[in-house]
Each structure stands twice: as C-alpha cells, then as structure tokens.
Amino acid sequence: MQDIELALSARNICKSFAGVAVLKNVSLNVAKGSVHALIGANGAGKSTLIKIITGAYTKDSGEIFLEDIEVNMSTPMFANSKGICAVYQEFSLVNTLTVTENVYLGRLEKTSIGTVNWKKCKAKVEEILLFLESDISPDAVVQDLSVSQRQVVEIAKSLSHNAKVLILDEPTAALSDKEVQVLFKVIRKLKNDGVAVVYVSHRLEEFPQIVDEVTIYRDGKNVISLPIEEASKSTIIKHMVGKSVSKSDPIRVKQGSIAIQVSKLSSPGKFQDVSFEVKSGEVLGLTGLAGAGRTEVARALFGLDKESTGEVKIQENVVTISSPMIAKKYGIAFVTEDRREEGLIMDASISDNLAVTVLERLKRKLFLSKSKIDHHSTSSIQNYDIKCSGSNQVVRRLSGGNQQKIVVAKWMATNPNILILDEPTRGIDVGAKSQIYTLIKESAEKGLAVIVISSEIPEILDLCSRILVMSAGKLTANIENVDVSQEDILEYATQ
C-alpha cells in the first residue's frame, strides 16, 4: 500500500493549566489533500490542541511536524508563516474594511517608494477568489457580506498565507443548508489542491459528505482514529462517551404551578422557535454541544438580548423583559457562565459584590447603611461557606469555587422565583461543586423553578428531572429524565 504523505503530525502532545492536565499524550495525523474531523464532547481537549498547533498556546511536551520537519509554533504569526491557518466560528474580520484590506491586513504590498500597491494586492485577492469560485468583489466592504461570504473571505485570508493546513472550527454553525453546500464545494476545491483540512464540528451528519477520516478525543486523550467508512454516527457517539457512568437519581421534589412559560423564543442567528415551561420546584436541564444556543436562550430570558422575539409568561402573565433590571423585578436570577467578566467586580471587595443586587434593601433612608451591608455580607459568607479572610477581601484573591459561591449568593439574596444557572460548576473543585448541587436541591425544595445549563451531560443527568437538548439553535428534545443515557443526549445534540 502506498505510504500516506502527512501535511501535519502532532505527536504525544501534553498540556496542563495550573497543574490540571488538559492534554495527555494526544496525537493527530492529517494527510495532504484530506479532510480530517477532530471531535469530542466539550472539554475533550480539541480547542487546546488547535491553539497549540496555531501557536496561541505553547505545549508542555510533544512534537509537531509539518511535512516531516519538526517545528515549534511559538506564535500565531509564526504558524501562519508556516502555512497553518485557522478559521474560527467567530470571524476575525474588520467589518468596515474591504475584502482586500482584510485579506492583507498588516502586510499590504508596497511599491518601490513605500506606498501601498493596491493594484497588486487587489489582483492577488481576485486570483484567490477566482480559485475559490467566488463572485465576491475585492472592493466589497465586509459588513455588507453574508455570513457565508465572510467565511469565504476568512478562507481567502488563509490562502494568502499559502495555507498547507486549514483548520475550520464549527464552520457550518451559522450557515443555511444552501450555504453549507457552497462551503463544502470550497473545501473539496482545497482538498483537490493538496490542502489538508482539519474539520472541527459537532454536526456528525455532515461527515459522510466531506470527511475522509475521524479522530476522537475524550478527557484529554486519544480514543481512536477511523476512516469515515467505519465511523457511523452511533460508533462516534459510543467513543465520545466511553463506558457508561453510574448516576444518582435526579432531583425530584413536589412541583407546583408553571413559573415560567416560553413560546417561540427566537434571536436572529442564535436560536429559533424555542418553547418550554418550568414549574415551581422543578429542576430543568438545558444542554447541547458548543454553539447550540443554550447560553443565548438564558441571556434572552434575562433581558440581555435586545433582538429576541417570542412570548414569555411568568405566573401566567405575559411579560416583556428588556433588561436585567426588569428580569430581576419579575423574580428571575441569572448566574452567568463567565463569572470573572460578567458575574463579579473582580477588584472590588466581597462585601461590595454581595451588596450590588440588593442595594435598595441595604439603605437607611437615602444612604447605604454600613451596618446593614456588614450584616448582609457576614451572613452570606457564613450561609454559603465562603472561604476568605473577611468581607473586605478583594474577590480576585479568592479561589474559583469561592468566587462562584459569591455570584450565587448575590443572586439568591434577591429572593428569586426563577433561578437560571449557566455552567454553575465550571472550573471549581469537588467540594464547591457539591455545595452548588446542594443549593440547587434546596432551591427546588423551597419552590423555585431552576434551570441548569451545562455542557457536562453526567451533571445534567444527575441533577435534572427533565432535560431540554439544543442543536444548531434549535430545540431537538424535551424529555423526562427516566432511563436516559449520555448516548441518548448526544444523539439529540448532534441532530
């Protein structure tokens, strides 16, 4: 059999963050002129490997070879110079500039007298677009292009670096079916020209149309590599999940009336026609793979998405939630997934962070009462077992678990009726995780309607009595958590 000529070979790559191993001797071998799918559940290590290959992260150990020559990807610029380029789900284009300006941003061709040689730049962009069989004008302003056209511009930018390896991260997440086929045509063109394409996607149904080989990661380790002919959807899911995990009974308490009812909630380009209801005392799980639209639904319910449409009823009354302040007024609390950027004032004290959601309650006449603030922070620290030197300690100095407890505590202080928790246990230790689980159970027992958003499927199965699954912005399942397996959830999540 003829030897396969590799464009890229990553061998025995290891990477740890703060002592936690994220990649454990993983490898990836991509042949020239092939499309190689890299897949795994959230947290499997795909993104970390890509960032190492593209020079955004440095590896702890291992080797990377380009066409049998070992290279050390020190920076993204160096990776580009070696022909390794990535097109991410979030484009890195400047919307107010033209296609030509974007493709050659920061490296415009110059004339002998030092001025920009626009004629030469434009001619090169036209040549690339012609190769891609695109009718986009080099003079078009990016903000006037469709999503699929912007993706072509990103690919053109990669080809201007003479890409040998092109990494596509969730390339079809925001595309229509027609636009997907246009992208596939471009990928086949690149493949025929000898470019190696690393294809990262959760849409397993697309693989037979475009992919040659599949590599599966789980928990930072290689699981298996298979030719596409041997990689059925069920086989892929089986390897993504691994052995069945024993699970505890989900939280089930006596449920009351409907606390919140959502009908045909939509947001352009993010999610569409999402409908569900949550009863008082119910713990509802919302899950799906990266880019499914889970967080976007939560942000719409909390008034953070100004473009969302649809109907929301709270206690059977139709409401319009146009801001977090109004959401809070209707008894909604939202623990964001990004506690450092959105959930906390990192350079403020514990006391100030705990007070920010209940300032009116902490006033004495027209002014804030120091004694009320002190009492509130002291009782919260005790009730939520926040490990700190005192209420004046700066939040930035706390562990991730204790920071998360503060985010939860400040919202529970508002006495909500509806509690939305987005990735509530991400990046916290086992002890803090257990305390968050206890809080969720106690909240349900008190009659709160609880929505838990998590990419950890075992967590959803352990906590939630009912589960919503999203894929590509659509609700694909609304099921009772009875005899439901991880495989079942992934089946719905990859539709």
Side-chain angles (χ1 to χ4, degrees), residues 303-342:
L304 289 165
D305 184 348
K306 307 302 182 187
E307 297 180 339
S308 62
T309 59
E311 184 180 83
V312 177
K313 288 183 179 179
I314 294 179
Q315 303 293 352
E316 298 186 356
N317 297 312
V318 176
V319 298
T320 300
I321 303 174
S322 56
S323 71
M325 188 176 294
I326 293 174
K328 188 177 124 184
K329 171 187 162 188
Y330 285 120
I332 301 176
F334 176 43
V335 176
T336 174
E337 68 173 334
D338 191 345
R339 59 177 173 265
R340 296 178 68 86
E341 294 295 326
E342 298 179 337

Side-chain angles (χ1 to χ4, degrees), residues 253-259 278-282 315 417 444 447-449:
V253 299
K254 185 177 179 181
Q255 297 179 7
S257 59
I258 295 172
V278 194
K279 295 180 178 179
S280 300
E282 182 177 15
Q315 303 293 352
N417 298 315
L448 273 70

Side-chain angles (χ1 to χ4, degrees), residues 16-29:
S16 296
F17 294 100
V20 178
V22 178
L23 294 180
K24 309 161 190 174
N25 292 307
V26 300
S27 297
L28 180 67
N29 296 305

Side-chain angles (χ1 to χ4, degrees), residues 430-489:
V430 174
K433 187 178 289 191
S434 176
Q435 289 173 303
I436 297 292
Y437 289 170
T438 299
L439 169 87
I440 292 170
K441 183 176 181 182
E442 290 175 350
S443 298
E445 288 172 343
K446 290 176 184 175
L448 273 70
V450 183
I451 301 173
V452 177
I453 302 170
S454 179
S455 55
E456 300 294 329
I457 297 174
E459 181 169 83
I460 289 289
L461 292 171
D462 281 354
L463 289 173
C464 307
S465 58
R466 189 159 53 88
I467 300 170
L468 305 180
V469 186
M470 291 187 69
S471 177
K474 296 179 181 178
L475 201 61
T476 54
N478 183 341
I479 52 177
E480 294 295 326
N481 187 5
V482 178
D483 297 325
V484 179
S485 67
Q486 291 188 57
E487 288 89 343
D488 295 332
I489 300 296

Side-chain angles (χ1 to χ4, degrees), residues 315-493:
Q315 303 293 352
E316 298 186 356
N317 297 312
V318 176
V319 298
T320 300
I321 303 174
S322 56
S323 71
M325 188 176 294
I326 293 174
K328 188 177 124 184
K329 171 187 162 188
Y330 285 120
I332 301 176
F334 176 43
V335 176
T336 174
E337 68 173 334
D338 191 345
R339 59 177 173 265
R340 296 178 68 86
E341 294 295 326
E342 298 179 337
L344 295 166
I345 308 168
M346 294 300 292
D347 292 317
S349 67
I350 294 171
S351 180
D352 288 346
N353 273 277
L354 289 168
V356 74
T357 55
V358 288
L359 290 174
E360 287 300 318
R361 229 166 57 208
L362 301 177
K363 284 183 178 179
R364 183 172 281 123
K365 295 184 178 178
L366 295 176
F367 302 99
L368 289 170
S369 164
K370 186 177 184 304
S371 61
K372 285 187 176 184
I373 292 172
D374 289 345
H375 179 266
H376 174 64
S377 58
T378 300
S379 61
S380 295
I381 288 168
Q382 291 174 347
N383 292 339
Y384 291 88
D385 192 25
I386 299 168
K387 306 296 183 186
C388 60
S389 61
S391 62
N392 289 324
Q393 185 173 357
V394 173
V395 163
R396 188 179 296 279
R397 303 291 183 187
L398 300 176
S399 68
N402 285 300
Q403 289 175 357
Q404 185 72 343
K405 290 178 191 177
I406 292 171
V407 180
V408 171
K410 80 171 189 178
W411 280 111
M412 291 303 292
T414 66
N415 298 316
N417 298 315
I418 300 157
L419 176 62
I420 305 173
L421 300 152
D422 192 359
E423 300 288 0
T425 63
R426 175 180 288 169
I428 65 176
D429 61 38
V430 174
K433 187 178 289 191
S434 176
Q435 289 173 303
I436 297 292
Y437 289 170
T438 299
L439 169 87
I440 292 170
K441 183 176 181 182
E442 290 175 350
S443 298
E445 288 172 343
K446 290 176 184 175
L448 273 70
V450 183
I451 301 173
V452 177
I453 302 170
S454 179
S455 55
E456 300 294 329
I457 297 174
E459 181 169 83
I460 289 289
L461 292 171
D462 281 354
L463 289 173
C464 307
S465 58
R466 189 159 53 88
I467 300 170
L468 305 180
V469 186
M470 291 187 69
S471 177
K474 296 179 181 178
L475 201 61
T476 54
N478 183 341
I479 52 177
E480 294 295 326
N481 187 5
V482 178
D483 297 325
V484 179
S485 67
Q486 291 188 57
E487 288 89 343
D488 295 332
I489 300 296
L490 274 171
E491 184 74 34
Y492 289 119

Side-chain angles (χ1 to χ4, degrees), residues 60-85:
D60 294 338
S61 61
E63 302 165 313
I64 297 175
F65 291 84
L66 280 178
E67 298 177 334
D68 293 329
I69 299 173
E70 186 174 2
V71 290
N72 182 26
M73 298 302 176
S74 53
T75 65
M77 187 177 294
F78 179 79
N80 283 344
S81 73
K82 293 296 181 181
I84 295 185
C85 303

Side-chain angles (χ1 to χ4, degrees), residues 166-184:
L166 177 63
I167 300 169
L168 299 176
D169 184 18
E170 296 291 345
T172 62
L175 302 185
S176 67
D177 290 342
K178 184 178 180 180
E179 290 170 332
V180 168
Q181 293 308 314
V182 172
L183 174 64
F184 286 176

